[in-house]
Amino acid sequence: MPTSSDAVTPRTGDERLAWIALARTRGVGPERMAVLIEACQTAIGAISAPIAFLGSVPGIPEAVAREIVAASLDAAAREVAAVEAEGGVMLLPGDVHFPDLLMPLEDQPLCLSAAGDLGLLDRPAVAIVGSRDHSRYGREVCESIASRAALAGLAVVSGMARGLDAVAHEAALQVGGGTIAVLGNGLGVVYPTSNRRLYAAVREHGLLLTESPHGARPMEGSFPRRNRIIAALARVTVVIEAAATSGALITASVANDLSRDVMAVPGPITSARSVGTNRLIQHGAYPLLGIEDLLARFPEASVPARSTSVEPGRPGPLAARVMQRLGLGPAHVDELSRSMSLPAAEVLAVLASLEVRGLVRQEPGMVFAPVAAALAAEAVPRRGRGA
């Protein structure tokens, strides 16, 4: 059976609108789209064909043929205009920015709406998903992994849901990194409404992505469909806290089906929030014990701030300033950023480098403290060669 990817050709003008109209037609999925293009040569040919002809095409029931005949170029044009009014663009298979990573999906999206930085679709990506009802531990782990992944140049992909999805997006944005929010609704709809500010921030500094029509409210089934896109966009899916029936496990299952890596954060066996993640590990997922476990799967990843790098030997000037400040006591990364008049991303990059070298440690809540031995070493005055 052909698929929609077998029928990808450049589309402009009415042909592009006809493809969108077919994609929004009830009963038309990737297989039927491919059959229609094969039978009618073009999308405009398909929506212009007589119902008798469409009904004769193998795999096209009469009810679907009637829906195709009713498909409207004007409705497709109105959707394009609405998406563009949101500062977005519609992406079709074969377009430059349409993610090839989605092609292996059995139920490929026939079109996407995107608003924000399309360049994020070209970055290596990690999906970070988890519980809506998370613990403090889950939040701290999520903040740490998402911020460091973003600093390493990875796109952090999640689902804009309440809970750890939102934490992952926020942590990536806080350090100036890139994040992709895959929505279970159309552009122009903020769901949940508590994420209104986050929605605006991701549109401004990251990327909103959805296969739902513009203005569509979330429906039953919207979120499992969204989850398959989250998994397909990412090389690795990380699950941080998930109950036995968590939707995050659907994302992990799709990643497994696509032969992508799944990593899970172990949690207490007494916690219902950790049942899903612990079972993932039991069934073969990689345990995520630190950022190095994740970055080992991204050899191209690095901290992209030359001025914050720490050379072998003693810390450089900026790192030494951070160590000196931490000598006054443990501090949150935001407090360090304010007191040193430096961007939080720059401070966090220095802290990450110092932590790798064993000079600082991270405590709960993105608080950093010096390792006692390193602090003592910094207090020893340097001696000249003749000393």
PDB file of all heavy atoms in Angstrom, residues 133-148:
ATOM      1  N   ASP A 133       1.182  15.614  37.673  1.00  0.00           N
ATOM      2  CA  ASP A 133       1.168  15.740  39.133  1.00  0.00           C
ATOM      3  C   ASP A 133       2.528  15.282  39.665  1.00  0.00           C
ATOM      4  O   ASP A 133       2.658  14.215  40.255  1.00  0.00           O
ATOM      5  CB  ASP A 133       0.041  14.877  39.710  1.00  0.00           C
ATOM      6  CG  ASP A 133      -0.026  14.957  41.229  1.00  0.00           C
ATOM      7  OD1 ASP A 133       0.412  15.985  41.781  1.00  0.00           O
ATOM      8  OD2 ASP A 133      -0.485  13.981  41.853  1.00  0.00           O
ATOM      9  N   HIS A 134       3.539  16.107  39.444  1.00  0.00           N
ATOM     10  CA  HIS A 134       4.908  15.694  39.748  1.00  0.00           C
ATOM     11  C   HIS A 134       5.283  16.024  41.189  1.00  0.00           C
ATOM     12  O   HIS A 134       4.640  16.829  41.866  1.00  0.00           O
ATOM     13  CB  HIS A 134       5.880  16.379  38.794  1.00  0.00           C
ATOM     14  CG  HIS A 134       5.812  17.880  38.841  1.00  0.00           C
ATOM     15  ND1 HIS A 134       6.416  18.621  39.836  1.00  0.00           N
ATOM     16  CD2 HIS A 134       5.196  18.781  38.026  1.00  0.00           C
ATOM     17  CE1 HIS A 134       6.192  19.898  39.623  1.00  0.00           C
ATOM     18  NE2 HIS A 134       5.440  20.034  38.538  1.00  0.00           N
ATOM     19  N   SER A 135       6.363  15.409  41.635  1.00  0.00           N
ATOM     20  CA  SER A 135       6.915  15.704  42.955  1.00  0.00           C
ATOM     21  C   SER A 135       7.982  16.789  42.833  1.00  0.00           C
ATOM     22  O   SER A 135       8.379  17.183  41.726  1.00  0.00           O
ATOM     23  CB  SER A 135       7.557  14.439  43.549  1.00  0.00           C
ATOM     24  OG  SER A 135       8.712  14.096  42.806  1.00  0.00           O
ATOM     25  N   ARG A 136       8.467  17.264  43.975  1.00  0.00           N
ATOM     26  CA  ARG A 136       9.566  18.224  43.963  1.00  0.00           C
ATOM     27  C   ARG A 136      10.801  17.596  43.318  1.00  0.00           C
ATOM     28  O   ARG A 136      11.508  18.248  42.556  1.00  0.00           O
ATOM     29  CB  ARG A 136       9.874  18.666  45.394  1.00  0.00           C
ATOM     30  CG  ARG A 136      11.059  19.620  45.493  1.00  0.00           C
ATOM     31  CD  ARG A 136      11.316  20.057  46.920  1.00  0.00           C
ATOM     32  NE  ARG A 136      12.497  20.872  47.015  1.00  0.00           N
ATOM     33  CZ  ARG A 136      12.977  21.372  48.147  1.00  0.00           C
ATOM     34  NH1 ARG A 136      12.355  21.118  49.286  1.00  0.00           N
ATOM     35  NH2 ARG A 136      14.068  22.106  48.146  1.00  0.00           N
ATOM     36  N   TYR A 137      11.030  16.326  43.627  1.00  0.00           N
ATOM     37  CA  TYR A 137      12.157  15.597  43.021  1.00  0.00           C
ATOM     38  C   TYR A 137      12.042  15.590  41.498  1.00  0.00           C
ATOM     39  O   TYR A 137      13.006  15.868  40.779  1.00  0.00           O
ATOM     40  CB  TYR A 137      12.172  14.172  43.573  1.00  0.00           C
ATOM     41  CG  TYR A 137      13.016  13.187  42.793  1.00  0.00           C
ATOM     42  CD1 TYR A 137      14.400  13.183  42.904  1.00  0.00           C
ATOM     43  CD2 TYR A 137      12.415  12.230  41.969  1.00  0.00           C
ATOM     44  CE1 TYR A 137      15.168  12.259  42.196  1.00  0.00           C
ATOM     45  CE2 TYR A 137      13.161  11.303  41.271  1.00  0.00           C
ATOM     46  CZ  TYR A 137      14.548  11.318  41.387  1.00  0.00           C
ATOM     47  OH  TYR A 137      15.302  10.403  40.689  1.00  0.00           O
ATOM     48  N   GLY A 138      10.841  15.294  40.994  1.00  0.00           N
ATOM     49  CA  GLY A 138      10.649  15.267  39.550  1.00  0.00           C
ATOM     50  C   GLY A 138      10.911  16.611  38.915  1.00  0.00           C
ATOM     51  O   GLY A 138      11.528  16.698  37.844  1.00  0.00           O
ATOM     52  N   ARG A 139      10.443  17.670  39.562  1.00  0.00           N
ATOM     53  CA  ARG A 139      10.675  19.018  39.022  1.00  0.00           C
ATOM     54  C   ARG A 139      12.165  19.340  38.974  1.00  0.00           C
ATOM     55  O   ARG A 139      12.662  19.871  37.976  1.00  0.00           O
ATOM     56  CB  ARG A 139       9.938  20.059  39.861  1.00  0.00           C
ATOM     57  CG  ARG A 139      10.127  21.478  39.324  1.00  0.00           C
ATOM     58  CD  ARG A 139       9.439  22.546  40.160  1.00  0.00           C
ATOM     59  NE  ARG A 139       9.570  23.836  39.489  1.00  0.00           N
ATOM     60  CZ  ARG A 139       8.711  24.313  38.605  1.00  0.00           C
ATOM     61  NH1 ARG A 139       7.634  23.620  38.287  1.00  0.00           N
ATOM     62  NH2 ARG A 139       8.909  25.488  38.035  1.00  0.00           N
ATOM     63  N   GLU A 140      12.882  19.026  40.043  1.00  0.00           N
ATOM     64  CA  GLU A 140      14.306  19.352  40.099  1.00  0.00           C
ATOM     65  C   GLU A 140      15.088  18.584  39.037  1.00  0.00           C
ATOM     66  O   GLU A 140      15.967  19.139  38.371  1.00  0.00           O
ATOM     67  CB  GLU A 140      14.847  19.062  41.496  1.00  0.00           C
ATOM     68  CG  GLU A 140      14.323  20.029  42.549  1.00  0.00           C
ATOM     69  CD  GLU A 140      14.625  19.582  43.966  1.00  0.00           C
ATOM     70  OE1 GLU A 140      15.162  18.461  44.130  1.00  0.00           O
ATOM     71  OE2 GLU A 140      14.336  20.352  44.902  1.00  0.00           O
ATOM     72  N   VAL A 141      14.769  17.304  38.868  1.00  0.00           N
ATOM     73  CA  VAL A 141      15.442  16.510  37.841  1.00  0.00           C
ATOM     74  C   VAL A 141      15.126  17.063  36.454  1.00  0.00           C
ATOM     75  O   VAL A 141      16.009  17.214  35.608  1.00  0.00           O
ATOM     76  CB  VAL A 141      15.025  15.029  37.938  1.00  0.00           C
ATOM     77  CG1 VAL A 141      15.549  14.246  36.743  1.00  0.00           C
ATOM     78  CG2 VAL A 141      15.540  14.407  39.227  1.00  0.00           C
ATOM     79  N   CYS A 142      13.867  17.392  36.230  1.00  0.00           N
ATOM     80  CA  CYS A 142      13.447  17.916  34.927  1.00  0.00           C
ATOM     81  C   CYS A 142      14.147  19.234  34.615  1.00  0.00           C
ATOM     82  O   CYS A 142      14.640  19.445  33.498  1.00  0.00           O
ATOM     83  CB  CYS A 142      11.932  18.085  34.900  1.00  0.00           C
ATOM     84  SG  CYS A 142      11.254  18.473  33.270  1.00  0.00           S
ATOM     85  N   GLU A 143      14.195  20.141  35.584  1.00  0.00           N
ATOM     86  CA  GLU A 143      14.880  21.424  35.383  1.00  0.00           C
ATOM     87  C   GLU A 143      16.340  21.210  35.035  1.00  0.00           C
ATOM     88  O   GLU A 143      16.877  21.846  34.109  1.00  0.00           O
ATOM     89  CB  GLU A 143      14.776  22.275  36.648  1.00  0.00           C
ATOM     90  CG  GLU A 143      13.420  22.879  36.897  1.00  0.00           C
ATOM     91  CD  GLU A 143      13.362  23.661  38.191  1.00  0.00           C
ATOM     92  OE1 GLU A 143      14.202  23.413  39.085  1.00  0.00           O
ATOM     93  OE2 GLU A 143      12.465  24.524  38.309  1.00  0.00           O
ATOM     94  N   SER A 144      16.989  20.315  35.752  1.00  0.00           N
ATOM     95  CA  SER A 144      18.412  20.086  35.532  1.00  0.00           C
ATOM     96  C   SER A 144      18.676  19.486  34.158  1.00  0.00           C
ATOM     97  O   SER A 144      19.531  19.966  33.403  1.00  0.00           O
ATOM     98  CB  SER A 144      18.958  19.161  36.629  1.00  0.00           C
ATOM     99  OG  SER A 144      20.318  18.881  36.409  1.00  0.00           O
ATOM    100  N   ILE A 145      17.940  18.434  33.795  1.00  0.00           N
ATOM    101  CA  ILE A 145      18.181  17.751  32.521  1.00  0.00           C
ATOM    102  C   ILE A 145      17.814  18.658  31.344  1.00  0.00           C
ATOM    103  O   ILE A 145      18.564  18.769  30.367  1.00  0.00           O
ATOM    104  CB  ILE A 145      17.377  16.437  32.460  1.00  0.00           C
ATOM    105  CG1 ILE A 145      17.864  15.461  33.542  1.00  0.00           C
ATOM    106  CG2 ILE A 145      17.501  15.794  31.083  1.00  0.00           C
ATOM    107  CD1 ILE A 145      19.320  15.065  33.436  1.00  0.00           C
ATOM    108  N   ALA A 146      16.664  19.333  31.423  1.00  0.00           N
ATOM    109  CA  ALA A 146      16.224  20.178  30.307  1.00  0.00           C
ATOM    110  C   ALA A 146      17.161  21.364  30.109  1.00  0.00           C
ATOM    111  O   ALA A 146      17.517  21.705  28.969  1.00  0.00           O
ATOM    112  CB  ALA A 146      14.794  20.659  30.539  1.00  0.00           C
ATOM    113  N   SER A 147      17.576  22.019  31.195  1.00  0.00           N
ATOM    114  CA  SER A 147      18.448  23.187  31.047  1.00  0.00           C
ATOM    115  C   SER A 147      19.801  22.791  30.490  1.00  0.00           C
ATOM    116  O   SER A 147      20.346  23.466  29.609  1.00  0.00           O
ATOM    117  CB  SER A 147      18.605  23.905  32.389  1.00  0.00           C
ATOM    118  OG  SER A 147      19.194  23.068  33.360  1.00  0.00           O
ATOM    119  N   ARG A 148      20.353  21.693  30.948  1.00  0.00           N
ATOM    120  CA  ARG A 148      21.673  21.280  30.468  1.00  0.00           C
ATOM    121  C   ARG A 148      21.614  20.740  29.045  1.00  0.00           C
ATOM    122  O   ARG A 148      22.554  20.934  28.273  1.00  0.00           O
ATOM    123  CB  ARG A 148      22.263  20.264  31.431  1.00  0.00           C
ATOM    124  CG  ARG A 148      22.529  20.885  32.792  1.00  0.00           C
ATOM    125  CD  ARG A 148      23.090  19.899  33.760  1.00  0.00           C
ATOM    126  NE  ARG A 148      23.235  20.558  35.055  1.00  0.00           N
ATOM    127  CZ  ARG A 148      24.148  20.219  35.942  1.00  0.00           C
ATOM    128  NH1 ARG A 148      24.995  19.255  35.681  1.00  0.00           N
ATOM    129  NH2 ARG A 148      24.224  20.848  37.087  1.00  0.00           N
TER     130      ARG A 148
END
